[in-house]
Each structure stands twice: as C-alpha cells, then as structure tokens.
Amino acid sequence: MNDMLLDVAERSATDVVVKYVRNAIRRGDLLPGQRVRERDLSDGCGVGRSAVREALMMLVAEGTLVREPGHSAVVRRFTLEEVWAHHQIREALEGLAVRLSAARPDQARFHEKLRRIGLRIKAAAEADDKEGFLEANSDFHSALLDMSGNRFIQSHVDLTRASQLRLQSARFLDRAGMERSHREHEEIILAVLSGDPDFAEAKMREHIRGTRRIFLQMGEAFYSEAEQSESDNQSD
C-alpha cells in the first residue's frame, strides 16, 4: 500500500472514531465531564491507537473534548453561566446573519436550498427522527450564515460552541421540541424569502432565546450529571 493510500486509510479510521464519540455524546453514553479512554475507543471502533489519538486531538481542537490533568481527554462540561453567555452571543450574531440574508437582493440561489432544508426539518419532526432533525437543523443555521455574505460571522459563531451544546443536549430532545423548533424555522425562512430583515432578525433572536430557555430549564438534569460524571471519573 503506497503512502497516499495509507493516509486515506488513516483519515478514514480517524473519522470513524470522531463520529463514534459524537454519537456517544448525542445518545448520552458519554456525559459531560466523563473520561474518554483510548483503549475503549480502539476496541469499540476496531481501529489502531494512532487513529484514536488523532481523533482525540481533533475533538479537543473543536471543543467537544478537553484535556484535563491525569486524563487523556474528557467530554467538555458547560456551566449555566457559559450557556447563558454563549446564547447571548449567538442571538446577536445569528440575528445579524439572518438580517443580512433577508436584505440581500442577490440571494435567490439560496432560496431553494432553504426550502429544501425546511422540508427536511419538517419531515424529521413528523417522523420523530432525532438524527435527521439535528443534521437538518445544523444545515439550516449554516445556510443562513452563508447567505449573510459575511464570512467572519461563522468563525465567531463557532466560538460559542453551539455544535457542542447541541451534541450534549440531543438526548433531551423530544418530538414536541422538534415540532416547536420546526415552526420557528418556518417563520424565519418565510421572513428571509419575503425579504423582511426586521421580521427575520426578530424571529431568529426569539428562536435563540427559546433555545437558551430550554438549556436553563434543564437544570439538574443537565448540569448535575456533569458533576456526577466527574466524581465517577475521580473514583476510577
């Protein structure tokens, strides 16, 4: 096997581990503060330790995992204060992004993409398809950031750790929550397609505030688990 094929195989094995960890967090098999062991990942994914280490480096770099003294890596923990602050920033940034998207006259090429994503969100909510909903929801927010025409907004949104929060909260997502979110997405899409920046921004800000309220209402169900899993790790 030549060097190029070896590189492709290694990257493929690394991708398997990254997906495995993300899915474990989404399901709640890995909780905030819980240690992620290289040997468990190597056995669970059927890959070598080098691919596991590369995957862990990627997951740490994106903020899904963090390094802690005495551990190879643990699932990132969020505090109430962090969740509040991150959503404040998201509200401002994504509100601006959707305002810019609705105001630009040259965005017709994105309209069909938005409609298709909206239909995917609706179908996933109706089918109680959590995985499909989360994927379509991520595409929805990314599409609006792209439409804004401001390439710096995405990098700042990434700093709010929105994707990591979605991963950790996914296990609490139910059909009612998906249907409520779908209705909010529909309102935002309608505002963008109709070229109404004020209404689009207002609806996006309302959507983000609603998401923040859900996180704050999680309370003990979300935050004490992180504390408990940390305690469990220390007793290993």
Side-chain angles (χ1 to χ4, degrees):
M1 185 180 292
N2 61 37
D3 290 343
M4 183 176 292
L5 290 177
L6 281 170
D7 182 58
V8 170
E10 184 67 22
R11 283 190 283 110
S12 178
T14 299
D15 291 342
V16 167
V17 179
V18 169
K19 185 174 182 180
Y20 180 92
V21 172
R22 287 175 181 160
N23 285 338
I25 294 172
R26 185 179 291 118
R27 291 190 304 267
D29 296 336
L30 284 174
L31 296 174
Q34 188 169 339
R35 187 189 312 177
V36 181
R37 297 177 174 84
E38 289 185 9
R39 183 170 59 187
D40 292 344
L41 294 180
S42 181
D43 293 343
C45 298
V47 302
R49 288 291 187 94
S50 61
V52 170
R53 294 190 185 102
E54 180 67 24
L56 291 176
M57 288 175 60
M58 292 173 60
L59 290 162
V60 168
E62 72 181 22
T64 299
L65 305 180
V66 294
R67 297 283 184 183
E68 290 195 352
H71 302 309
S72 58
V74 299
V75 179
R76 183 184 182 92
R77 293 185 299 273
F78 289 95
T79 66
L80 278 166
E81 182 181 6
E82 286 177 316
V83 168
W84 181 270
H86 288 324
H87 279 86
Q88 280 184 315
I89 297 170
R90 276 193 65 201
E91 181 184 338
L93 290 174
E94 297 202 41
L96 172 61
V98 79
R99 165 175 282 278
L100 294 174
S101 298
R104 293 184 66 186
D106 61 340
Q107 295 294 4
R109 67 187 186 280
F110 284 101
H111 289 182
E112 184 56 35
K113 180 179 181 179
L114 264 186
R115 291 189 183 97
R116 289 197 302 269
I117 294 174
L119 290 174
R120 286 169 53 204
I121 292 173
K122 179 181 180 181
E126 291 176 344
D128 199 14
D129 175 9
K130 185 184 296 187
E131 295 292 327
F133 178 87
L134 290 168
E135 182 179 352
N137 178 69
S138 179
D139 290 346
F140 169 79
H141 288 274
S142 294
L144 288 171
L145 292 172
D146 288 342
M147 285 180 68
S148 74
N150 187 324
R151 62 189 178 89
F152 296 104
I153 295 179
Q154 177 68 68
S155 61
H156 288 293
V157 169
D158 288 343
L159 293 176
T160 68
R161 303 300 185 191
S163 60
Q164 287 77 37
L165 282 167
R166 290 192 193 108
L167 273 179
Q168 293 189 16
S169 64
R171 66 189 186 277
F172 297 102
L173 185 64
D174 57 18
R175 186 166 188 167
M178 287 189 285
E179 290 175 346
R180 180 178 59 253
S181 184
H182 157 58
R183 291 191 296 270
E184 293 171 357
H185 288 143
E186 278 195 326
E187 291 180 324
I188 295 168
I189 291 173
L190 179 62
V192 172
L193 297 184
S194 62
D196 189 337
D198 291 337
F199 188 61
E201 180 176 6
K203 284 300 176 181
M204 177 58 84
R205 284 178 170 270
E206 182 181 319
H207 174 61
I208 300 297
R209 286 196 298 271
T211 302
R212 181 174 64 202
R213 283 195 297 273
I214 291 171
F215 272 100
L216 298 181
Q217 289 168 0
M218 286 178 185
E220 185 177 349
F222 186 77
Y223 301 101
S224 67
E225 279 185 349
E227 295 172 3
Q228 182 60 47
S229 60
E230 180 180 25
S231 175
D232 291 343
N233 286 336
Q234 293 172 348
S235 64
D236 286 347

